[in-house]
Amino acid sequence: MTHSPVHVMCIVGARPNFMKAAPLIEALNGRKWATITLIHTGQHYSRAMSDLFFDALSLPKPHVDLQVGSGSHGEQTGQIMIRLEPLLQRHRPDLVVVFGDVNSTVAAALCAAKLGIPVAHVEAGLRSFDRTMPEELNRVVTDQVSEFLFTTERSARENLIREGLAEAKIFFVGNVMADTLLKHVEQARALQTRRTYGLSHQAYGLLTLHRPSNVDDPRMFKEIMAAVKELAEDVPILFPCHVRTRERLAVMPNLLGTHVGRQGIILLEPLGYLEFLSLMCDAQLVLTDSGGIQEETTVLGVPCVTLRHNTERPVTIEHGTNTLVGTSRTRIVEAGRAVLRRHHPTRRTPDLWDGHAAERIVDVLERHFHADSSESERTDSAPMAYSSSCPSHIHVQKVQ
Ligand code: UD1
């Protein structure tokens, strides 16, 4: 009796997906029972938002790039489903793996589940309890249609159970983003990217800002930037600017005033994974509205001031170095100055953020699929043949 390998299709689309997929693909590559295909939806497509990460993380070239590009939420989600469905129908993977909470995550999960293909959600169960955040809706829907819910922190299990999901589907495996960070941190430290900007160790702040609620509303954006300008009088602030935020700045040219420059706010293009990690390692203070950066600073023990009213990652506050301050100018300045006055706080790394989360995920999958495949011959899955028979709008590339 021959056993065909278990076909695992990993689907990524946006910048925060790439560092989550990398360790899982590496861990799966080491198992003979699995064959992996990697699909890029093309939600993020520019070099700075995508290619740089594939290079730094040694991710394989995607087998297929769906090239959906930018659009409204409905358009983007719909286009991903339209372009992914024929691929899933043709290749019928044994499992579709999705990551995090971006539009690509929910679109791929829904598409696969409707075809009866099991879905694994990496980073399941996180909840901000704020349904005005697009990511919260993506998280809730993705979890509801997933068969494997891989969680990063204990709060996630409680959230999933409260929403009626079965205990048996939930696996607390730890944090794959921490796997990637721990693997690259020494390389990143050695880069000393801060020197490019003439900055010393722990003598600068690092800012990221891209949530629609913070940058799309000009009043809110102004309020936050007023706080940043005030802090930039105490310490230089590096600001690698997300494309969404850069677009908003372009229509408010006077927002930063005279604060842009060597001793104030230093505006940068979006950075690669290692360069940004290097800057985080050496920063005195990180200001952000990102989800992932709250976790990365927790692992690094770098103080993080989060410019949001809620977080879906409470463990970063309980165990880590994260403080939620909201978006008022005075609160941001107070919290920022408090960090600048004291030494780095002590922290405890959350449970299972130890660099081995991806291996735990693969162990769970192996117990499930490999045991099954040993019992009976598998005939239902057709791993991708890289043929030119894909629909013409799908761009197929041979794996490199
Ligand atoms: C998306 C995710 C967000 C994640 C963020 C990380 C959703 C709902 N949001 O937000 O959770 O934290 O990615 O970056 O999925 N653009 C480019 N080049 C690109 C990609 C986008 O210039 O490669 C521009 C386009 O003008 C686009 C805008 O950025 O309209 C926003 O991109 P989009 O993918 O819609 O959302 P993000 O704000 O990046």
Side-chain angles (χ1 to χ4, degrees), residues 45-277:
Y45 45 84
S46 50
R47 179 157 175 74
M49 300 296 284
S50 179
D51 299 0
L52 280 183
F53 288 77
F54 272 73
D55 295 348
L57 303 171
S58 306
L59 269 163
K61 210 175 162 84
H63 292 78
V64 176
D65 184 344
L66 299 176
Q67 298 185 323
V68 294
S70 303
S72 69
H73 284 256
E75 203 180 339
Q76 200 169 53
T77 310
Q79 277 301 329
I80 294 169
M81 293 181 73
I82 290 167
R83 294 175 190 214
L84 185 61
E85 191 173 51
L87 266 185
L88 293 175
Q89 281 169 321
R90 179 164 321 109
H91 299 288
R92 293 224 59 100
D94 297 295
L95 180 72
V96 159
V97 186
V98 297
F99 304 85
D101 57 15
V102 301
N103 286 343
S104 299
T105 312
V106 70
L110 202 50
C111 201
K114 285 194 171 229
L115 293 171
I117 298 168
V119 176
H121 184 201
V122 176
E123 201 185 88
L126 297 180
R127 295 291 181 267
S128 65
F129 305 103
D130 174 1
R131 295 238 173 153
T132 65
M133 277 180 85
E135 292 83 1
E136 182 75 351
L137 295 175
N138 293 347
R139 289 188 277 261
V140 170
V141 174
T142 303
D143 287 337
Q144 284 295 330
V145 299
S146 295
E147 292 304 314
F148 296 87
L149 298 159
F150 293 115
T151 63
T152 52
E153 58 171 278
R154 292 185 198 283
S155 70
R157 174 181 223 95
E158 293 156 30
N159 296 335
L160 292 167
I161 288 180
R162 196 179 319 108
E163 290 171 16
L165 287 150
E167 282 251 25
K169 293 183 177 179
I170 307 169
F171 303 90
F172 175 39
V173 290
N175 194 330
V176 284
M177 259 197 14
D179 292 8
T180 300
L181 188 152
L182 294 170
K183 181 175 170 186
H184 292 93
V185 69
E186 289 316 318
Q187 196 186 346
R189 273 191 214 284
L191 277 182
Q192 301 199 356
T193 303
R194 63 180 162 77
R195 290 182 155 206
T196 315
Y197 310 103
L199 297 170
S200 312
H201 179 66
Q202 291 193 4
Y204 63 93
L206 180 62
L207 167 71
T208 81
L209 207 57
H210 76 282
R211 291 263 148 242
S213 57
N214 282 346
V215 303
D216 288 359
D217 171 359
R219 252 182 353 124
M220 185 66 79
F221 193 22
K222 254 177 137 166
E223 174 87 4
I224 293 173
M225 291 315 297
V228 174
K229 287 193 274 193
E230 223 173 307
L231 286 170
E233 282 166 17
D234 299 354
V235 70
I237 295 185
L238 287 171
F239 184 13
C241 207
H242 187 278
V243 277
R244 170 189 287 282
T245 313
R246 177 74 72 168
E247 284 165 13
R248 305 298 174 264
L249 275 177
V251 293
M252 299 169 79
N254 300 324
L255 186 63
L256 297 177
T258 55
H259 286 78
V260 176
R262 207 138 263 266
Q263 285 315 310
I265 298 170
I266 304 170
L267 260 184
L268 310 174
E269 292 303 312
L271 295 171
Y273 181 75
L274 290 173
E275 288 75 17
F276 188 76
L277 179 54

